[in-house]
Amino acid sequence: MPWRPADELAQVVALEVLLHGPLARAELARRLDLAPATLTRISADLIDAGLLTETALPAERRNGRPSIPLDVVTSAHHFLGVKLAGDAVSAAVTDLRADVVDYFELPLDSTEPAAVVERICELVARAAGEHVIDAVGIGLGGVVDDEGRVSSAPFLGWEDVPLSSMVQERCGLPTFAAKDLTAFTEALHWFGLGAGHANFAALTLGVGVGYGCIANGRLLAGGDSGVGLVGHWPLDPLGPLCSRGHRGCAESMLTMPYLVRDISLALGREVQWPEFLTLAADGHPAARGIADASGRALGRLIAAIANLAAPELVVIGGEGVDLARVSMPAVEEGIREHRDPRAADVRVELTSGSNESWCRGAAVIALQGYVLDRRRVRSSAARTGSR
Ligand SMILES: [Zn+2]
C-alpha cells in the first residue's frame, strides 16, 4: 500500500498520526486547528487509502460519544537502514515507526564504490526475501549532499561517489543516503528522545565526535556538515595533542582511540575499550583520572552547546557513550563550570551506542524520503533547475 495522501492537508494529518499517534479525531483536529467536519472527511479518505486505521484500543468517551483513536498501520511499510563502516556493512529492517524488526551484517573486503554497492544490494536482497521493503536509507561518516552523492568520505577513501543513485539503479528501490549524524539526529527527532522537542542537540562519541542539532524543528545543516566541525573544539589547555597539533581538543579528549592510547601508555600494556571502562568503574587510579578528565571535557562541550544553541535537551550516543556513563559526576561538574549559575540546568540523556541505532537512523532517512516523497520533490526541483 503506497503512502500517497490525496493532498497536502491529508499529508499533514497522516504525518501527525505517524509522529504522535494514536490520536483521537478530536485531539487531532485540535492539534492541527482543523474543523471537526474537515478532519472527519480527511480521516475517512486516509482510512480508505489504507494509510490510517481505527485502533482497537478501548473507546474513550467524550460528551457521551465514543472516540476511537486513529493510528498508522505500522507493519504496512518496511525500510532498510544501512550503516557503512570501513570493514563491514550492517542493516536493520524497521517498520513505519522505526522499530527494528530484523538485523543483518556483512563484512566488507573492499571499499571500492562498486564493491560496497554490491554488498549493500546483497543486504537489500536478503531483507527483501523476508519483508516488503519500501525504501533504502544509507548512513555514513562523510559529506553527503541532498541527492545522496558522497562528496567526501575519507574512511572509505571516497570522493564524489553518487551512492544513492548507484544503489537505486542496481537494486531498483528508492534509495536515500545521508551523513550518519544526520540520520541519527533525525531518528531521535521523529521517533526517539528528541520527539516533541523543537530544539535539541545530539552528540556522538566513538572513533570521532559527532554533533547534530535540531533548531526550531529543523535539522541545522550546511555544505560543511560531515567534515567533523566539532572534533577539534578546544576543551582542555592541558590535554593531550591531537593529530592536527591541538592540545586538549574534542578529538584528543573524547574519542575512543585516544583514550585507549592514554590508558595503555599509563599501564604499559595494551588495554581495550571495555577494559578501560571496567577499570574506571572500579576506581583504578589511572583509568579514573583519564575518565574524569574526559568527562569534565565532555561537560564543557555540552555547556558550550547549551550556551550557544539553547537546546531543551542534549542526547549522547555513539559506540563510546559509556564514557559518559562512567564519568557522569565529572560531566556535570564540567557543565557547571562553564554555565552561568542563573541558567537552567542542561538536560542530558544517554542513548544506546549500538550499531543498530546507526542503522535505525539510516532507516529513518529512508522512511522520511518515502513519506515526504523526497524523490519526487528532488526530481521536480532538478527539472526546474534545468530550465
Ligand atoms: Zn584537534
Side-chain angles (χ1 to χ4, degrees), residues 45-380:
D45 289 349
L46 288 169
I47 290 170
D48 281 348
L51 262 78
L52 297 187
T53 182
E54 292 186 318
T55 64
L57 291 174
E60 133 204 351
R61 285 188 169 271
R62 207 171 271 174
N63 302 330
R65 287 203 312 218
S67 166
I68 301 167
L70 294 170
D71 205 356
V72 290
V73 187
T74 51
S75 60
H77 297 276
H78 289 100
F79 304 92
L80 187 73
V82 178
K83 163 75 174 164
L84 279 186
D87 56 355
V89 192
S90 42
V93 178
T94 75
D95 65 15
L96 193 51
R97 282 235 170 81
D99 284 329
V100 175
V101 296
D102 223 336
Y103 180 78
F104 310 96
E105 237 179 73
L106 283 175
L108 202 54
D109 326 311
S110 156
T111 57
E112 280 301 310
V116 174
V117 167
E118 203 52 44
R119 275 297 201 223
I120 293 172
C121 292
E122 267 178 58
L123 286 174
V124 173
R126 199 181 281 190
E130 291 173 42
H131 312 271
V132 177
I133 304 294
D134 288 294
V136 177
I138 305 167
L140 72 159
V143 183
V144 188
D145 72 11
D146 292 345
E147 306 291 319
R149 178 180 281 271
V150 182
S151 56
S152 94
F155 80 104
L156 292 168
W158 285 9
E159 262 180 45
D160 204 23
V161 174
L163 181 62
S164 51
S165 57
M166 284 172 81
V167 172
Q168 183 161 317
E169 272 164 32
R170 175 76 182 73
C171 75
L173 283 171
T175 302
F176 305 87
K179 176 191 159 193
D180 52 6
L181 241 299
T182 296
F184 184 78
T185 309
E186 288 287 6
L188 288 172
H189 185 205
W190 273 37
F191 303 106
L193 287 163
H197 291 277
N199 297 287
F200 75 90
L203 258 186
T204 59
L205 305 176
V207 175
V209 182
Y211 171 63
C213 183
I214 297 285
N216 298 326
R218 294 176 71 98
L219 183 85
L220 272 187
D224 286 332
S225 299
V227 298
L229 299 170
V230 178
H232 296 282
W233 189 277
L235 295 173
D236 186 344
L238 304 177
L241 283 176
C242 83
S243 57
R244 288 178 48 194
H246 310 128
R247 202 163 271 294
C249 70
E251 179 180 288
S252 75
M253 294 301 294
L254 303 177
T255 61
M256 293 163 76
Y258 279 84
L259 296 175
V260 161
R261 183 200 65 178
D262 287 353
I263 186 67
S264 299
L265 266 175
L267 301 192
R269 64 181 175 86
E270 201 175 307
V271 178
Q272 300 296 326
W273 181 252
E275 190 191 354
F276 163 61
L277 293 173
T278 307
L279 289 171
D282 290 348
H284 182 286
R288 199 61 262 168
I290 292 168
D292 285 345
S294 201
R296 266 193 305 280
L298 177 60
R300 288 178 199 131
L301 181 57
I302 294 169
I305 292 166
N307 292 340
L308 295 170
E312 295 147 22
L313 169 74
V314 179
V315 182
I316 303 176
E319 52 276 32
V321 64
D322 286 338
L323 169 70
R325 285 201 172 86
V326 299
S327 63
M328 199 34 101
V331 173
E332 286 165 356
E333 203 182 300
I335 297 176
R336 268 195 308 275
E337 254 176 51
H338 289 257
R339 186 114 168 116
D340 192 291
R342 292 166 300 173
D345 286 344
V346 184
R347 191 176 143 206
V348 177
E349 297 277 355
L350 308 186
T351 185
S352 157
S354 69
N355 205 41
E356 208 175 275
S357 67
W358 289 111
C359 296
R360 184 171 178 263
V364 169
I365 291 300
L367 191 159
Q368 289 182 333
Y370 180 76
V371 304
L372 301 176
D373 207 0
R374 285 202 169 132
R375 207 159 38 117
R376 206 170 62 186
V377 172
R378 281 209 309 241
S379 51
S380 55

